[in-house]
Amino acid sequence: MKSGSIGSKLKGMLRDMGIEVVGYAPVSAWDTDPLVSGRVDPVSRPASIMRNARSVIVIGIPISAATIDTAPSIAYAEAYKVINTMLDQATQRIAMELMALGHDAMPIPRDGYHGIDGLRESPSAFFSHRHAAYLAGLGTFGENNLLISAEYGSLIRYSSVLTDVVLPYDYPLNAEVCIHCGNCVRACPAGALTRGVYPENITDKSKCIDRSDELRVHGISPCGMCIAACPIGRPHSMKYQTPEALEKIRSYRR
């Protein structure tokens, strides 16, 4: 099967699974794009993780705006876990399809680290899905250091599959999506963000990890407040919960 036909087949399969956000990036882009090559260590690039990889398939699943408005809460914590599981299942399904066609494929777990303790030891996963999504043309970086999609803003999580198939590639967006409103910086309770353009201004990961650890004790990690503050991609400008309902939802803790 030709690479273009494989690319179309995968998108059709993912569409049947309810996943519409899909992009394809060439492995070579990790070495040639200055934003990525300047931030991602060579050992964490696709060519190091799977030596015969030619392409990276990136998929995304959006988070409900109404759910993120409760963050930090049990509602957001549970949605986060479910979406991670859905992403892992979808990337496994992609890999199975590619292997059935006679190709190599490696699904990358959504979170390539062992929780908060793992992040303290090494504050980065072994593969960056957000940089992969950037190279696949799915968004640009915002002041919250997350990838911001024109359609979903920060309300989306990504995962990836490495493969030896050469696919019809997408490329980074020319226009910046972040409007630099500063809402995410002001909303961060840990003070982990500062105003400025990524990658010159980056998240203070130690502060972010400390905040997540505090919430973990109560069973409501991750934080998510910088995501909730981003106005891009929200279907409505309103906040969804009444103050009373929000207080009730956030009261469920260990």
Side-chain angles (χ1 to χ4, degrees):
M1 183 179 290
K2 294 182 179 180
S3 60
S5 298
I6 293 175
S8 298
K9 179 180 177 67
L10 292 176
K11 287 186 176 181
M13 182 187 75
L14 289 165
R15 195 174 299 115
D16 290 342
M17 297 171 66
I19 297 174
E20 298 284 346
V21 179
V22 187
Y24 303 139
V27 164
S28 59
W30 270 255
D31 299 322
T32 58
D33 187 283
L35 186 151
V36 176
S37 62
R39 289 296 304 166
V40 178
D41 191 277
V43 76
S44 295
R45 298 177 192 176
S48 294
I49 297 170
M50 181 177 164
R51 292 171 64 182
N52 64 334
R54 302 290 298 279
S55 306
V56 179
I57 302 164
V58 187
I59 64 171
I61 295 179
I63 305 166
S64 157
T67 298
I68 197 66
D69 276 355
T70 69
S73 70
I74 190 172
Y76 175 51
E78 290 301 313
Y80 183 95
K81 288 190 290 186
V82 168
I83 288 173
N84 277 1
T85 299
M86 292 173 65
L87 286 166
D88 285 342
Q89 290 175 339
T91 55
Q92 289 286 346
R93 181 68 183 85
I94 292 169
M96 290 170 61
E97 185 69 25
L98 289 169
M99 289 187 291
L101 293 172
H103 293 282
D104 283 339
M106 178 181 178
I108 306 296
R110 174 40 256 186
D111 287 340
Y113 55 88
H114 288 299
I116 302 300
D117 293 334
L119 284 177
R120 287 198 185 282
E121 183 175 333
S122 178
S124 297
F126 73 83
F127 182 82
S128 172
H129 298 293
R130 61 181 177 146
H131 287 94
Y134 161 76
L135 290 172
L138 298 180
T140 61
F141 288 94
E143 290 192 358
N144 57 9
N145 284 202
L146 300 175
L147 200 76
I148 302 182
S149 155
E151 184 174 2
Y152 296 107
S154 298
L155 296 168
I156 189 165
R157 293 185 61 70
Y158 299 97
S159 196
S160 312
V161 179
L162 313 185
T163 181
D164 63 346
V165 181
V166 177
L167 293 166
Y169 297 127
D170 303 288
Y171 295 95
L173 301 179
N174 290 323
E176 190 173 10
V177 179
C178 178
I179 61 173
H180 300 282
C181 62
N183 286 359
C184 57
V185 177
R186 290 186 289 272
C188 179
L193 300 174
T194 55
R195 298 299 305 274
V197 178
Y198 180 87
E200 286 76 19
N201 279 47
I202 61 173
T203 301
D204 185 328
K205 290 186 178 180
S206 63
K207 291 181 178 179
C208 189
I209 291 168
D210 286 344
R211 167 68 172 168
S212 292
D213 204 11
E214 292 170 6
L215 296 173
R216 177 180 64 166
V217 172
H218 301 291
I220 54 170
S221 180
C223 174
M225 295 188 73
C226 65
I227 299 174
C230 181
I232 306 299
R234 294 182 63 95
H236 307 288
S237 60
M238 63 176 284
K239 293 291 185 179
Y240 287 86
Q241 291 78 32
T242 63
E244 296 79 12
L246 188 59
E247 181 179 3
K248 178 69 172 177
I249 294 167
R250 287 180 173 168
S251 71
Y252 287 94
R253 300 186 173 203
R254 286 184 186 145

